[in-house]
């Protein structure tokens, strides 16, 4: 578990692609994070997805398979089904996981777990690098109020987690099973209960992360209050042992929601798609009001064609230019944040590339 990076990035183990990018070459993303739908079975109080409304196209089985085939062909290494929708709402999720793995892609799924079918776990767990359950409370009543669902949903999700752990142990699978808590200051009472629950369930890790907000502060996240939770987060981390890792994303939790970089360099390495099929540099720019950054839709055109198009690289150039300021023109602490910090230091000569040494970290292609 010491090789599981939950607060950082893994670009140090992808030097060839970083070098190609520094030379100005058009590289394929290492990781693509996407959803198979914008629908969701929950209404979480901290949901950034509700800020990402855009024109939705139908993500059919053929569209999804074409994308996964293209991704493998052009050199993408990993695909995570997370992004702005609950992919268990798609009838094509299980086939998509298997198709991606058959193509040689590392596959991962982030889900609330409520619609995840227990009788399909035996089939998909061997094909997944990790399965992460998004859960921000350790008891049913608080779970229901935070996630906008019924209390009985909590029991179903807990049983599904137990079944996944059972199958992993029985079949000695390599898949990593984890929990993710999106932490708002008002959830502090649930940090220790959820930490204890994760240990009881036998999952591999619990990661406790910040809540992202948009540039207008629409979700009202008070980042200053995270500093008051340092001691309780350290207490939670103390539950870690050889088989269970608890980790707070300190670099983001204590950042105040601020960035040190102004240009955005991360999307060529880790691109995001909306569950609508929209291809955009990142989830912060999915909303229709950001159309100047929208590249295309995989329901209309193959991802390979989109990636090869001048429009794709025009948008990449725009967000990495002085015409774009990541500190004021998009939301806080995005998926690409740690990668952006690293690439910013490379570009501004504040740091030299240091190639990863020793045994590679887990989930190396989910950068």
């Amino acid at each position: 578990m010491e090789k599981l990076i939950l607060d950082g990035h893994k670009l140090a183990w992808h030097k060839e692609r970083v070098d190609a990018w520094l030379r100005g070459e058009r590289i394929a993303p290492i990781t693509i994070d996407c959803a198979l739908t914008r629908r969701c079975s929950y209404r979480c109080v901290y949901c950034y997805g509700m800020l990402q409304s855009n024109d939705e196209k139908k993500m059919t089985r053929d569209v999804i398979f074409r994308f996964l085939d293209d991704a493998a062909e052009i050199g993408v290494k990993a695909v995570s089904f997370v992004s702005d929708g609950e992919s268990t709402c798609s009838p094509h999720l299980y086939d998509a996981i298997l198709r991606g793995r058959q193509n040689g892609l590392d596959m991962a799924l982030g889900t609330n777990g409520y619609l995840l079918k227990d009788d399909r776990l035996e089939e998909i767990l061997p094909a997944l690098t990790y399965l992460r359950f998004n859960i921000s409370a350790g008891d049913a009543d608080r779970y229901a109020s935070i996630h906008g669902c019924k209390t009985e949903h909590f029991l179903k999700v807990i049983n599904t987690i137990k079944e996944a752990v059972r199958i992993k142990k029985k079949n000695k699978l390599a898949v990593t099973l984890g929990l993710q808590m999106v932490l708002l200051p008002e959830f502090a009472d649930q940090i220790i209960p959820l930490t204890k629950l994760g240990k009881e369930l036998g999952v591999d890790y619990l990661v406790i992360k910040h809540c992202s907000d948009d540039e207008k502060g629409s979700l009202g996240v008070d980042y200053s209050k995270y500093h008051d939770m340092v001691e309780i987060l350290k207490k939670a981390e103390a539950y870690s042992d050889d088989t269970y890792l608890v980790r707070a994303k300190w670099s983001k939790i204590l950042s105040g929601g601020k960035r040190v970089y102004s240009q955005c360099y991360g999307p060529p390495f880790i691109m995001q798609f909306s569950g609508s099929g929209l291809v955009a540099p990142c989830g912060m720019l999915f909303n229709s009001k950001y159309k100047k950054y929208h590249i295309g839709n995989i329901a209309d055109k193959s991802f390979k064609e989109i990636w090869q198009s001048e429009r794709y690289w025009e948008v990449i150039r725009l967000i990495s230019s002085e015409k774009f300021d990541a500190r004021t023109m998009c939301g806080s602490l995005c998926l690409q944040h740690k990668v952006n910090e690293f690439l910013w230091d490379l570009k501004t000569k504040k740091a030299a590339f240091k190639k990863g040494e020793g045994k590679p970290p887990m989930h190396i292609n989910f950068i």
Side-chain angles (χ1 to χ4, degrees), residues 15-27 347:
K15 189 175 188 301
E16 288 184 7
R17 205 156 299 192
V18 175
D19 285 344
W21 173 76
L22 287 170
R23 292 191 299 267
E25 296 178 20
R26 295 184 171 188
I27 62 168
K347 275 285 195 177

Side-chain angles (χ1 to χ4, degrees), residues 39-150:
R39 288 180 293 149
C40 188
S41 48
Y42 283 12
R43 291 292 179 268
C44 303
V45 298
Y46 52 75
C47 181
Y48 201 98
M50 70 179 185
L51 307 176
Q52 297 170 315
S53 178
N54 60 79
D55 295 335
E56 188 158 5
K57 301 291 179 73
K58 191 167 181 60
M59 293 280 277
T60 65
R61 186 175 185 271
D62 287 345
V63 165
I64 295 164
F65 275 27
R66 181 177 66 183
F67 154 63
L68 292 167
D69 294 349
D70 282 348
E73 182 182 341
I74 71 170
V76 174
K77 296 184 177 183
V79 173
S80 54
F81 291 141
V82 186
S83 195
D84 63 340
E86 174 54 56
S87 288
T88 57
C89 292
S90 169
H92 311 300
L93 171 65
Y94 306 98
D95 288 344
I97 291 170
L98 298 177
R99 178 67 165 232
R101 191 69 200 103
Q102 288 165 5
N103 286 351
L105 297 165
D106 287 351
M107 301 298 297
L109 172 64
T111 174
N112 61 42
Y114 178 64
L115 294 178
L116 192 60
K117 297 178 181 177
D118 291 9
D119 61 1
R120 301 298 298 270
L121 291 172
E122 196 104 31
E123 186 179 9
I124 64 169
L125 285 177
L128 290 170
T129 299
Y130 71 80
L131 170 58
R132 189 188 73 212
F133 293 89
N134 301 317
I135 176 171
S136 293
D139 70 68
D141 289 338
R142 290 287 277 134
Y143 179 90
S145 64
I146 290 170
H147 290 290
C149 62
K150 297 179 180 178

Side-chain angles (χ1 to χ4, degrees), residues 207-346:
V207 61
I208 303 170
K209 62 166 287 188
H210 63 292
C211 180
S212 294
D213 208 341
D214 67 7
E215 67 272 29
K216 295 181 179 179
S218 299
L219 296 178
V221 182
D222 186 347
Y223 289 102
S224 66
K225 290 186 177 179
Y226 281 127
H227 292 266
D228 298 332
M229 293 185 282
V230 169
E231 290 306 313
I232 194 169
L233 288 170
K234 287 182 177 179
K235 183 179 177 182
E237 289 189 333
Y239 281 83
S240 300
D241 57 29
D242 291 343
T243 60
Y244 178 54
L245 178 66
V246 181
R247 182 70 69 241
K249 286 197 172 186
W250 292 110
S251 69
K252 292 185 176 182
I253 287 173
L254 300 181
S255 71
K258 305 298 183 184
R259 306 172 190 262
V260 298
Y261 54 88
S262 53
Q263 274 75 61
C264 183
Y265 296 129
F269 296 89
I270 178 168
M271 180 67 62
Q272 286 187 280
F273 300 176
S274 169
S276 67
L278 171 70
V279 179
C282 73
M284 301 295 184
L285 300 174
F286 285 165
N287 192 285
S288 295
K289 66 183 178 181
Y290 301 115
K291 279 192 174 179
K292 67 184 292 186
Y293 306 109
H294 292 179
I295 299 169
N297 193 297
I298 60 171
D300 297 330
K301 187 180 291 187
S302 77
F303 175 60
K304 183 179 178 181
E305 290 178 275
I306 292 172
W307 175 72
Q308 291 174 331
S309 71
E310 191 54 38
R311 174 61 181 168
Y312 184 101
W313 296 102
E314 175 188 329
V315 172
I316 293 299
R317 287 192 298 271
L318 174 59
I319 62 173
S320 63
S321 74
E322 293 184 357
K323 295 179 180 179
F324 185 83
D325 189 340
R327 295 168 297 186
T328 59
M329 297 172 70
C330 59
S332 62
L333 305 177
C334 61
L335 179 66
Q336 294 85 352
H337 180 66
K338 299 306 293 183
V339 168
N340 267 328
E341 287 182 332
F342 174 78
L343 296 172
W344 173 260
D345 284 348
L346 283 184

